[in-house]
Amino acid sequence: FTSEVTEEFRPTYHFTPESGWMNDPNGLIYLDGEYHLFYQHYPDSTVWGPMHWGHAVSSDLVNWEHLPIALFPDSLGYIFSGSAVLDTENTSGLGTAETPPIVAIFTYHNAEEANTKSQTFQSQAIAFSLDKGRTWQKYEGNPVLPNPGIRDFRDPKVSQITNENGTKSWIMTLAVLDQINFYSSPDLKSWTLLSEFGKTIGAHGGVWECPDLLPFKTPSGEGKWVLLVSINPGGPQNGSATQYFIGDFKNGQFTPDDTMIRWLDYGPDNYAGVTWSNLPSDHDRTLFIGWMSNWLYANEVPTKAWRSAMTLPRELSLFDVDGTLLLKSAPAKELEKLRDKEYKVTKKSSSLPSEAVELISEVNSDSFMVTFSNELNEKLVISKELGLVNIDRRNAGKSTFQRDFAAIHSAPMSWEATEIRIFLDASSVELFVNDGELVMTSILFPSSPWKTVEVSDQVNSLKIYNLKK
Ligand code: FRU
């Protein structure tokens, strides 16, 4: 039982918990130079259990410092997913004018009650911190939004919007069975239902979870709202995935522009992702991170000391393909800090400097193939052909822990691919085509690190960066 064995598959530059179980990112907030990342965490085991909020901070989205657990389960239940806001004007009264509180809004899941016929075991609650997220106090009036009698009632994402008359309101976007409810509040403590969305639109192969409501500008400068909704099961690759809607949010109501089903990431392993709140206006961007796994096999993947990593942080924006708006996920620019040595490759085949690399290629035709292999004859194949982008992990290492794991995953891409960026880490691949116009995230467990990359003739340049923290 050497540390080498227990650390096998530990990523170099992706966020993982020090030990134990992790799922969704929670409470993403930027404050005073720190990006906070809370996460669904069970410290006592590497399988899902009584949920806590784990905590880490970073000044650059690349180097993370682990902090003590922020929220522990209590008599009201486990601490499920949620968000965090800075209550600048102390509308909640939980801080002072000089020390505005960070308020975390989360779901209580009462596990005992969930085992009964009860339908009311999930409710929304708040906690606050007056010391930059280091210590937390739960609000004594919890829950702030009791359950109306619906068993899936969770994952509050709160943001502040400015109304047409100039006043501000807190808006909560909540997943309720397989639809979204919007609530508003003046003080984060009392919540009023505004509207419901989604009963008859979108993918409904599973329960809706972890929503996020985001304002964007279109390429032509028009204001649009995007609603992210994770769904499990019922994703395009089986199991978990995140769909999104584009439309308007007016008078407390979301109205989609069309009925098209859109997916944020076509790989199997990007789930429950949400965005950071409170980014200062001088770096006004929409920064996203997701949980890099899938409920199909999250509890079975062959890591030992911990389970699951987060995706790379990504910057979301809208782009246009032949008149259709879609969401683009570009790797956050901070990731360029990871670049260590650069290798310009002129041959069709090259060895890889380490298991943590970024590859950038220009492609000059609408089909290409990039193959990674190791000395054990395992292969990871990335390609585009006949309008489909594919990641083939059928023979990419360990896969017997779950029968659906070894598979080819494909994504439709009707427009031209001109550039591909691939991030490899010890147990993942993230593919960004045209800087994120199409994204696929996939975890994998090669029995030995990838040693060689081989590219097809259509790939006319290849740069490899060794990545280092
Ligand atoms: C999504 C999810 C959430 C829930 C949390 C529990 O992965 O199921 O809906 O709050 O995980 O850990």
Side-chain angles (χ1 to χ4, degrees):
F1 209 84
T2 67
S3 70
E4 192 118 312
V5 172
T6 55
E7 291 301 293
E8 195 188 7
F9 305 125
R10 176 83 82 175
T12 311
Y13 59 95
H14 284 81
F15 179 81
T16 50
E18 274 180 304
S19 64
W21 168 268
M22 174 177 84
N23 57 296
D24 315 352
N26 294 152
L28 303 178
I29 183 169
Y30 177 87
L31 184 63
D32 296 339
E34 288 180 327
Y35 293 91
H36 291 263
L37 167 61
F38 300 89
Y39 53 90
Q40 288 288 279
H41 184 39
Y42 184 33
D44 300 333
S45 169
T46 49
V47 295
W48 189 88
M51 285 292 115
H52 302 54
W53 274 26
H55 189 195
V57 288
S58 172
S59 61
D60 60 5
L61 295 166
V62 170
N63 296 287
W64 291 97
E65 180 194 344
H66 291 285
L67 293 179
I69 290 174
L71 296 173
F72 288 80
D74 59 47
S75 63
L76 292 179
Y78 300 175
I79 315 293
F80 269 20
S81 288
S83 51
V85 293
L86 181 67
D87 183 11
T88 318
E89 284 152 32
N90 193 30
T91 61
S92 62
L94 296 170
T96 60
E98 300 75 54
T99 313
I102 307 182
V103 178
I105 309 94
F106 60 89
T107 299
Y108 265 127
H109 172 87
N110 189 316
E112 258 165 59
E113 211 187 312
N115 287 330
T116 69
K117 286 220 175 83
S118 160
Q119 301 287 303
T120 57
F121 50 86
Q122 295 185 341
S123 60
Q124 316 322 315
I126 59 179
F128 60 100
S129 169
L130 303 175
D131 57 359
K132 302 188 181 192
R134 277 11 185 221
T135 60
W136 289 85
Q137 238 170 294
K138 286 167 186 150
Y139 171 55
E140 55 189 22
N142 279 337
V144 293
L145 177 57
N147 189 304
I150 308 167
R151 50 177 298 121
D152 294 293
F153 189 72
R154 59 177 179 268
D155 307 339
K157 182 73 161 76
V158 173
S159 54
Q160 198 171 39
I161 65 160
T162 305
N163 302 305
E164 247 134 69
N165 63 7
T167 59
K168 287 179 182 169
S169 331
W170 298 107
I171 299 289
M172 181 195 291
T173 306
L174 191 75
V176 181
L177 215 53
D178 61 341
Q179 69 170 44
I180 299 301
N181 285 8
F182 295 103
Y183 299 82
S184 87
S185 172
D187 57 5
L188 297 163
K189 290 169 170 170
S190 66
W191 293 93
T192 311
L193 180 65
L194 292 172
S195 64
E196 303 175 20
F197 166 77
K199 255 284 121 350
T200 56
I201 191 173
H204 287 272
V207 70
W208 286 16
E209 302 184 313
C210 300
D212 200 351
L213 178 68
L214 304 163
F216 282 99
K217 283 265 183 293
T218 67
S220 62
E222 199 192 341
K224 278 284 164 205
W225 290 84
V226 169
L227 178 63
L228 306 183
V229 177
S230 281
I231 169 172
N232 178 64
Q237 313 295 1
N238 276 333
S240 324
T242 302
Q243 60 180 326
Y244 64 95
F245 302 89
I246 301 179
D248 292 312
F249 188 75
K250 252 198 222 119
N251 303 321
Q253 199 159 354
F254 182 82
T255 312
D257 285 354
D258 57 35
T259 56
M260 186 177 158
I261 293 179
R262 294 165 166 90
W263 299 101
L264 180 82
D265 184 319
Y266 269 93
D269 298 301
N270 178 359
Y271 192 59
V274 283
T275 62
W276 264 276
S277 75
N278 201 45
L279 290 176
S281 46
D282 63 346
H283 68 160
D284 190 16
R285 26 181 205 162
T286 305
L287 276 177
F288 167 100
I289 199 164
W291 173 45
M292 197 156 59
S293 195
N294 188 314
W295 282 115
L296 275 180
Y297 40 70
N299 280 286
E300 278 101 50
V301 297
T303 58
K304 302 266 171 23
W306 82 99
R307 267 209 181 89
S308 302
M310 293 298 175
T311 67
L312 289 176
R314 301 166 185 192
E315 182 172 344
L316 306 184
S317 61
L318 286 175
F319 73 106
D320 183 311
V321 181
D322 301 329
T324 300
L325 287 175
L326 293 173
L327 203 54
K328 167 172 167 175
S329 305
K333 64 177 186 317
E334 283 84 348
L335 295 165
E336 290 171 22
K337 266 185 71 172
L338 288 165
R339 290 176 182 171
D340 169 34
K341 267 210 180 98
E342 177 183 330
Y343 304 82
K344 281 212 177 68
V345 181
T346 49
K347 288 193 267 137
K348 291 290 155 196
S349 167
S350 163
S351 60
L352 295 170
S354 80
E355 59 182 2
V357 289
E358 175 189 351
L359 293 90
I360 303 186
S361 280
E362 274 155 35
V363 285
N364 69 355
S365 131
D366 211 29
S367 65
F368 59 80
M369 188 181 284
V370 179
T371 308
F372 299 94
S373 53
N374 62 19
E375 71 284 8
L376 301 171
N377 236 344
E378 293 173 344
K379 276 184 180 15
L380 163 64
V381 187
I382 297 174
S383 62
K384 184 171 187 199
E385 215 180 354
L386 305 171
L388 287 181
V389 180
N390 314 291
I391 296 186
D392 182 351
R393 66 174 181 192
R394 282 175 306 174
N395 181 28
K398 297 199 163 57
S399 65
T400 51
F401 50 86
Q402 201 269 344
R403 67 190 156 88
D404 297 319
F405 190 83
I408 304 186
H409 299 112
S410 300
M413 186 178 180
S414 58
W415 63 106
E416 208 185 337
T418 54
E419 189 220 51
I420 51 178
R421 250 173 108 182
I422 299 172
F423 288 85
L424 282 184
D425 206 337
S427 45
S428 63
V429 59
E430 283 155 286
L431 169 68
F432 298 88
V433 186
N434 300 351
D435 206 33
E437 292 182 353
L438 188 120
V439 192
M440 294 181 82
T441 302
S442 183
I443 55 173
L444 18 109
F445 303 94
S447 312
S448 164
W450 303 118
K451 298 273 157 37
T452 312
V453 56
E454 200 184 321
V455 296
S456 63
D457 288 336
Q458 302 93 339
V459 176
N460 44 19
S461 72
L462 174 60
K463 261 191 288 188
I464 303 177
Y465 293 95
N466 187 44
L467 300 184
K468 218 168 152 184
K469 280 217 295 199

